[in-house]
Amino acid sequence: MEQLTQFAPFLLMFVVLYFFMIRPQQKRAKNEKEFENSLKVGDKIVTKSGFHGKIAELAETTVVIETMSGKLKLERSAISLELSAALNKKA
């Protein structure tokens, strides 16, 4: 019983670490993956580097976007925001 009380603070630290650090990170990663999978051709997007464009082609891990200056091939993870849904909600 004495060993259990000595081990309890470490167990409590692990539980707190899990619920405040590990679990939210897993949730965020899942949401990002769902966002990447929900993209479709024609969506207006903004990349993490600030480029605005429209999706022209989709591949498994990459996306080709049309911008005012031409086409760019990027990783899907480089897209930070999808504007089509936000613009449709305002209208």
Side-chain angles (χ1 to χ4, degrees), residues 5 15 21 33 40-41 43-44 68 73-74 88:
T5 58
V15 169
M21 295 183 80
K33 193 71 171 165
K40 55 193 178 301
V41 174
D43 284 347
K44 293 181 180 174
M68 300 273 298
K73 185 175 186 175
L74 305 166
N88 289 337

Side-chain angles (χ1 to χ4, degrees), residues 1-8:
M1 190 67 173
E2 187 177 309
Q3 290 177 341
L4 184 62
T5 58
Q6 289 177 345
F7 189 65

Side-chain angles (χ1 to χ4, degrees), residues 5-23:
T5 58
Q6 289 177 345
F7 189 65
F10 293 109
L11 184 62
L12 182 63
M13 276 195 307
F14 177 75
V15 169
V16 169
L17 180 73
Y18 176 78
F19 280 106
F20 286 107
M21 295 183 80
I22 298 171
R23 191 163 180 235

Side-chain angles (χ1 to χ4, degrees), residues 41-45 51-57 63-74:
V41 174
D43 284 347
K44 293 181 180 174
I45 54 104
F51 290 115
H52 290 244
K54 188 165 92 174
I55 297 177
E57 298 174 30
V63 62
V64 175
I65 64 167
E66 290 179 29
T67 64
M68 300 273 298
S69 60
K71 291 185 177 183
L72 298 169
K73 185 175 186 175
L74 305 166

